[in-house]
Amino acid sequence: MLGVVSLFVPAFSPAMINASLAFDCDSLIFDLEDSVALSEKDSARELLREALLNLDFFGKSVIVRINSLDSDLWYKDLEYVVDTPAWGAMVPKASPQGIKAVSDVLDRFESKLFIVPIIETALGVELVIDIIRASSRVKGLLFGAEDYALDMGIRRTREGEEILFARSRIANAIHAFGMEGLDTPFTDINDMEGLRLDTLKGKSLGYTGKAAINPRQIEVIKKVYLPSEEEVEFALRVLRALKRGEGRGVFIVDGRMVDAPIIARAKLTLRRAGLEVDQVD
C-alpha cells in the first residue's frame, strides 16, 4: 500500500537508504530514475537490491521508480528487483502500452510486484482510465505535476490552479477504480505553509495521500491527512449510535443528520486513525 505519505529516496546513497528506515512515512519510493546519474545506474541497482534483500523497513511499503520506458534502462531496473520484497514498481510517464510492457515482464519473471503508474503527460491524463486497465497489477497512481506542466508548456505556481483539471481527473479515476492515489510532490522544501495548503487542496480533491521529496515534509502531510481527535470522536459517536439500533434510516448525532454516506465516512475516519471499526463498543 502507498499510505498517506510516500517519501522519495535516491537509490545511489547507502546513507540515505539507511536513514530512510527511521522516517515516519507509510511507504518509500527508491528512485533509480532522475536522481541517479547515468554513470551510477549499475551501482545504484546493486546497492538497492542488497538493501531490499537485507534491511528491515519496519512495515513500510517499498516502491522502486524505474527509468523511463523510452530508455534502455528500465528492463535492467526490473531485473534487479523482481524477486525482492519490494511492493511495487513505479513507472514514469505512463502509457497503456508501457504499463502492459512492464506487466508482461513481471509476468515472465513470475514477480509479485504491483505497478504504480506516474501520470505526468497531457496524453497520460487523457488516457488515465486505459492506463489503469492495462494491467491488474496497477494498484495506485501518482500525479507528477512538474513534468505535466512541462509537457503542457505552462508555468507551475504555488497555488496550482494551472494543474487543477489534470489533478481532478486523476483523483476521480482513483476513486472510480477503488485504489490509492498520491498527489504530486510540493517542490519548495522550505515553504511549509505552502505545503500545508497544497496538501489540503489534494485531499479536498480526493487524493488518499501525497508524495514527499524531503523528510521534513512528512509531518505536515500527516497532519493534514490523518483525522483530528474531534473527527475521531464524532466517528465513534456515529458508530456507537448505529450499534444501539438508532440506524434505521437516518438518525441524529450531535444535531447532525446521519445517513449511509456519513456512516461510511465515519468508518473511513476510524480506519485512517488506525482503529478497528468492528471493535467499536
Side-chain angles (χ1 to χ4, degrees), residues 24-92:
D24 186 25
C25 54
D26 302 299
S27 54
L28 296 164
I29 304 169
F30 288 111
D31 184 28
L32 288 171
E33 195 199 18
D34 291 345
S35 65
V36 180
L38 185 60
S39 59
E40 296 182 325
K41 297 287 186 187
D42 284 337
S43 59
R45 291 186 188 108
E46 291 174 6
L47 176 65
L48 180 57
R49 178 175 174 79
E50 287 300 309
L52 294 176
L53 291 175
N54 295 298
L55 295 181
D56 183 349
F57 291 92
F58 301 102
K60 300 180 186 69
S61 298
V62 173
I63 299 117
V64 178
R65 180 164 75 167
I66 63 174
N67 281 279
S68 168
L69 273 62
D70 294 332
S71 72
D72 57 357
L73 301 168
W74 66 274
Y75 187 90
K76 198 168 184 180
D77 294 341
L78 284 179
E79 282 186 314
Y80 273 76
V81 298
V82 288
D83 60 344
T84 69
W87 182 83
M90 182 167 276
V91 181

Side-chain angles (χ1 to χ4, degrees), residues 62-278:
V62 173
I63 299 117
V64 178
R65 180 164 75 167
I66 63 174
N67 281 279
S68 168
L69 273 62
D70 294 332
S71 72
D72 57 357
L73 301 168
W74 66 274
Y75 187 90
K76 198 168 184 180
D77 294 341
L78 284 179
E79 282 186 314
Y80 273 76
V81 298
V82 288
D83 60 344
T84 69
W87 182 83
M90 182 167 276
V91 181
K93 294 183 174 58
S95 67
Q97 298 83 358
I99 295 303
K100 186 173 186 315
V102 171
S103 184
D104 287 347
V105 170
L106 295 177
D107 288 346
R108 285 202 296 277
F109 280 110
E110 299 182 348
S111 173
K112 295 179 180 178
L113 286 180
F114 295 117
I115 297 174
V116 181
I118 310 179
I119 310 300
E120 53 186 345
T121 65
L123 186 58
V125 171
E126 293 299 321
L127 298 179
V128 62
I129 302 300
D130 295 328
I131 289 170
I132 292 171
R133 287 176 169 160
S135 171
S136 60
R137 291 178 182 269
V138 175
K139 298 298 180 186
L141 299 177
L142 167 66
F143 175 39
E146 297 305 318
D147 279 300
Y148 170 75
L150 181 64
D151 196 38
M152 291 286 291
I154 57 179
R155 186 175 67 86
R156 289 279 283 119
T157 66
R158 185 176 189 254
E159 293 74 23
E161 292 302 317
E162 70 283 354
I163 60 170
L164 181 59
F165 168 74
R167 208 176 190 183
S168 303
R169 181 174 171 84
I170 294 167
N172 192 77
I174 289 162
H175 288 277
F177 287 85
M179 61 178 56
E180 294 180 283
L182 293 173
D183 192 20
T184 187
F186 188 75
T187 55
D188 187 343
I189 61 173
N190 294 316
D191 183 0
M192 292 301 161
E193 177 60 11
L195 171 63
R196 189 185 71 82
L197 294 173
D198 194 62
T199 307
L200 281 168
K201 183 73 172 180
K203 182 182 178 183
S204 74
L205 293 174
Y207 284 89
T208 58
K210 188 172 184 67
I213 56 172
N214 187 286
R216 293 167 54 214
Q217 296 180 322
I218 293 173
E219 184 178 357
V220 174
I221 296 171
K222 277 204 156 186
K223 278 187 177 178
V224 171
Y225 269 100
L226 293 182
S228 66
E229 186 176 337
E230 181 181 328
E231 290 170 327
V232 171
E233 288 299 323
F234 177 73
L236 287 170
R237 287 195 291 276
V238 167
L239 295 187
R240 284 167 182 157
L242 184 67
K243 276 199 166 184
R244 289 196 301 266
E246 298 172 21
R248 299 184 183 88
V250 297
F251 54 103
I252 303 296
V253 173
D254 296 354
R256 296 169 58 181
M257 186 184 78
V258 175
D259 55 8
I262 300 297
I263 294 169
R265 182 168 297 176
K267 292 178 179 177
L268 178 61
T269 296
L270 295 185
R271 282 197 290 271
R272 284 180 172 173
L275 300 176
E276 296 289 339
V277 172
D278 294 339

